[in-house]
């Protein structure tokens, strides 16, 4: 992106849960999952929410962006280079300008929460000298179609069954985009999911420069509009953007539409446009940073183990392995999650080991005390009554 790159200082808490009415309305929330899994992810999300008030205060104190072309020459690009993590924790490579060569990206997901929801589809179109020259489309066979996508897209369950595993889908996508500048409409949403999943599967950092056509439209190209959704561009530029009535909410079609939006904005602002990125735009930045802190890495590993502990019990019916993972978490000091105690007790119940159910309940009550919710308290009472009945019958 050359001198047009603007490096924005991303404040710690600003990356989490700071919304705006312009956020992409991609799809409704997925249907309710099993309560143990849903509550687990909610706890993860809540952990990030706690930084919001502090973030807002810091944002109000930090209104200047930093960076220039000469600084880019010393940017560390490999994880083992000195200063790599420090640099990528502080900066995000966003520009509001126009390139001749770039890649447009878009994803479809089961919902809006990158902790809980899954990627359904990733697509990208490679552009050279303003023309689309290649395209990528991949579906995630480990995901499912949300109610919204079933009703509003052409994606089918067969697409999902014939897709990649999540990890391989990410690998194929990274291979396709290379070092290209990434363009998208509300691309911060896409990058949030992509970065989170790349970290989760330990596939590295997504460091590409990126351009958000929604920000270009909202602050520069079409500032008089009330909204800057993809629909608004199709309605206002039917000949340039909506001429072939591409169906939205498949990532591939959306990338083709967003490429046209980018070129329409180029026509409005000119090839040499170089918009300033300000702290007013932080709400649209990715909610996951390029690199992770040591604390975030530790927490991610623990979160993954928590998810795995519940998954192997629910999906694989491997209750012994599930309890082994939970015990490892307890040994690591993760002892303040009601769902772990309940899952362990449920596992022992499935295994027919009521003595261990009782010992787990004792440990649960000892460690959590008055922080056990009504639902869990009722469940504990039901188990104690059930076990008491079994003991009474055995005595007869």
């Amino acid at each position: 992106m050359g001198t047009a790159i603007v490096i924005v200082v991303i404040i710690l808490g600003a990356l989490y849960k700071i919304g705006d009415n312009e956020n992409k309305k991609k799809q409704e929330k997925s249907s309710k999952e099993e309560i143990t899994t849903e509550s687990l992810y909610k706890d993860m999300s809540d952990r990030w929410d706690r930084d919001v008030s502090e973030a807002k205060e810091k944002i109000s104190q930090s209104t200047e962006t930093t960076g220039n072309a000469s600084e880019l020459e010393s940017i560390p690009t490999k994880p083992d280079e000195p200063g790599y993590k420090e640099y990528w924790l502080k900066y995000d490579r966003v520009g509001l300008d126009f390139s001749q060569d770039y890649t447009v990206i878009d994803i479809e997901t089961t919902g809006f929460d990158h902790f809980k929801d899954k990627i359904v589809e990733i697509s990208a179109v490679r552009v050279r000298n303003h023309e689309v020259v290649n395209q990528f489309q991949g579906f995630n066979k480990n995901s499912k179609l949300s109610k919204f996508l079933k009703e509003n897209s052409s994606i089918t369950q067969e697409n999902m069954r014939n897709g990649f595993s999540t990890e391989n889908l990410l690998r194929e996508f990274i291979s396709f985009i290379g070092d290209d500048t990434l363009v998208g409409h509300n691309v911060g949403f896409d990058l949030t999911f992509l970065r989170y999943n790349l970290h989760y599967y330990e596939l590295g950092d997504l460091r590409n420069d990126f351009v958000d056509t929604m920000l270009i439209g909202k602050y520069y190209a079409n500032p008089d509009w009330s909204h800057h959704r993809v629909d608004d561009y199709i309605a206002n530029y039917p000949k340039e953007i909506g001429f072939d009535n591409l169906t939205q909410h498949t990532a591939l079609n959306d990338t083709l539409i967003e490429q046209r939006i980018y070129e329409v904005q180029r026509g409005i602002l000119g090839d040499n446009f170089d918009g300033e990125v300000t702290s007013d735009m932080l709400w649209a930045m990715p909610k996951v940073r390029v690199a992770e802190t040591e604390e975030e890495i530790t927490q991610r590993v623990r979160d993954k183990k928590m998810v795995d502990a519940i998954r192997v019990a629910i999906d694989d019916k491997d209750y012994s392995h599930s309890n082994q993972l939970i015990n490892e978490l307890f040994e690591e000091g993760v002892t303040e999650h009601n769902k772990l105690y309940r899952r362990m007790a449920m596992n022992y119940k499935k295994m027919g080991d009521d003595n261990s159910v009782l010992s787990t309940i004792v440990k649960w009550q000892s460690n959590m005390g008055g922080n056990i919710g009504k639902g869990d308290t009722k469940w504990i009472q039901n188990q104690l009554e059930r076990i008491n009945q079994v003991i009474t019958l055995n005595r007869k």
Side-chain angles (χ1 to χ4, degrees):
M1 296 167 64
T3 57
I5 292 175
V6 182
I7 304 178
V8 183
V9 179
I10 302 299
I11 306 298
L12 172 62
L15 297 169
Y16 313 117
K17 300 293 183 183
I18 300 176
D20 186 276
N21 290 333
E22 301 296 335
N23 277 326
K24 188 183 297 180
K25 301 298 182 182
K26 285 200 165 189
Q27 58 276 93
E28 299 173 348
K29 286 287 185 181
S30 58
S31 59
K32 188 176 181 180
E33 300 178 358
E34 171 140 354
I35 185 63
T36 51
T37 304
E38 180 136 355
S39 56
L40 169 61
Y41 281 112
K42 184 179 185 300
D43 277 358
M44 294 182 199
S45 181
D46 288 346
R47 185 173 65 251
W48 299 91
D49 282 338
R50 290 194 288 268
D51 290 330
V52 170
S53 59
E54 179 184 353
K56 288 182 178 179
E57 181 179 351
K58 288 184 177 180
I59 291 171
S60 66
Q61 298 170 357
S62 177
T63 58
E64 296 183 358
T65 58
T66 62
N68 53 50
S70 61
E71 184 180 3
L72 301 180
E73 296 174 0
S74 61
I75 290 177
T77 58
K78 297 180 180 180
D80 57 352
E81 287 186 46
Y84 174 91
K85 182 164 290 186
E86 291 76 11
Y87 181 89
W88 290 107
L89 283 174
K90 187 177 182 182
Y91 296 112
D92 227 324
R93 301 281 295 281
V94 57
L96 300 181
D97 58 0
F98 298 104
S99 302
Q100 291 187 357
D101 302 332
Y102 55 92
T103 293
V104 185
I105 65 169
D106 193 85
I107 66 173
E108 298 297 336
T109 67
T110 59
F112 300 109
D113 189 335
H114 59 280
F115 290 114
K116 178 174 75 69
D117 295 304
K118 294 185 177 182
I119 294 172
V120 171
E121 177 193 1
I122 304 177
S123 288
V125 292
R126 183 178 298 136
V127 178
R128 295 294 180 263
N129 195 25
H130 314 298
E131 298 293 332
V132 174
V133 297
N134 202 356
Q135 63 185 39
F136 167 83
Q137 181 180 40
F139 297 95
N140 182 4
K141 68 180 181 181
N142 300 135
S143 187
K144 62 184 180 181
L145 287 178
S146 64
K147 182 175 183 290
F148 178 87
L149 289 177
K150 287 179 180 178
E151 296 176 353
N152 294 277
S153 80
S154 60
I155 302 173
T156 66
Q157 208 58 53
E158 184 177 1
N159 293 141
M160 312 295 290
R161 285 193 298 269
N162 295 330
F164 300 94
S165 67
T166 308
E167 184 173 349
N168 286 337
L169 175 59
L170 291 165
R171 290 182 186 277
E172 293 290 328
F173 169 72
I174 291 301
S175 176
F176 181 84
I177 64 172
D179 295 327
D180 266 15
T181 293
L182 304 179
V183 175
H185 202 75
N186 192 18
V187 73
F189 175 90
D190 306 272
L191 293 175
T192 295
F193 269 82
L194 291 167
R195 288 176 179 176
Y196 177 78
N197 280 274
L198 285 168
H199 291 161
Y200 187 85
Y201 290 98
E202 299 183 354
L203 296 177
D205 302 323
L206 187 59
R207 304 186 306 268
N208 300 56
D209 304 336
F210 64 93
V211 177
D212 192 336
T213 56
M214 182 182 65
L215 291 180
I216 291 178
K218 179 179 177 64
Y219 292 97
Y220 294 104
N222 312 100
D224 54 327
W225 290 7
S226 298
H227 301 286
H228 299 81
R229 299 163 297 200
V230 170
D231 285 342
D232 297 310
Y233 276 93
I234 293 174
N236 283 279
Y237 297 97
K239 293 182 179 179
E240 297 87 348
I241 299 173
F243 57 85
D244 52 358
N245 297 313
L246 286 175
T247 303
Q248 291 187 67
H249 306 301
T250 66
L252 182 57
N253 283 355
D254 287 348
T255 57
L256 295 170
I257 294 170
E258 290 165 20
Q259 190 266 338
R260 297 169 189 174
I261 292 174
Y262 188 54
E263 293 300 333
V264 163
Q265 292 175 336
R266 183 199 303 275
I268 296 172
L269 298 171
D271 279 332
N272 297 324
F273 172 78
D274 185 2
E276 180 184 6
V277 182
T278 69
S279 61
D280 292 340
M281 303 175 188
L282 286 178
W283 60 268
M285 294 298 117
K287 306 301 184 288
V288 173
R289 286 173 286 194
V290 172
E292 296 175 290
T293 64
E294 295 302 323
E295 292 78 11
E296 287 168 344
I297 293 172
T298 299
Q299 189 62 56
R300 170 171 56 78
V301 172
R302 288 178 177 174
D303 289 345
K304 190 173 183 178
K305 187 177 290 186
M306 291 171 72
V307 172
D308 287 343
I310 291 174
R311 180 191 58 78
V312 297
I314 296 174
D315 297 341
D316 301 339
K317 314 301 181 188
D318 191 342
Y319 308 116
S320 178
H321 186 204
S322 175
N323 280 354
Q324 177 185 340
L325 293 173
I326 293 172
N327 273 321
E328 289 175 5
L329 287 164
F330 287 161
E331 291 172 2
E332 294 169 10
V334 184
T335 58
E336 298 183 353
H337 291 273
N338 282 302
K339 62 189 63 60
L340 292 181
Y341 295 101
R342 179 163 174 170
R343 171 47 59 187
M344 175 172 274
M346 290 171 67
N347 289 342
Y348 282 128
K349 179 185 175 185
K350 293 284 187 179
M351 297 162 67
D353 186 351
D354 282 342
N355 287 331
S356 294
V357 172
L358 287 173
S359 64
T360 300
I361 288 174
V362 170
K363 182 187 294 185
W364 187 355
Q365 292 175 323
S366 174
N367 289 337
M368 296 302 296
N371 294 320
I372 301 176
K374 292 181 179 179
D376 287 330
T377 298
K378 183 176 181 180
W379 187 87
I380 290 172
Q381 291 172 345
N382 289 341
Q383 298 313 303
L384 295 177
E385 292 173 4
R386 177 187 63 79
I387 293 172
N388 185 55
Q389 290 174 0
V390 172
I391 293 173
T392 301
L393 289 173
N394 289 337
R395 287 176 177 172
K396 292 182 178 180

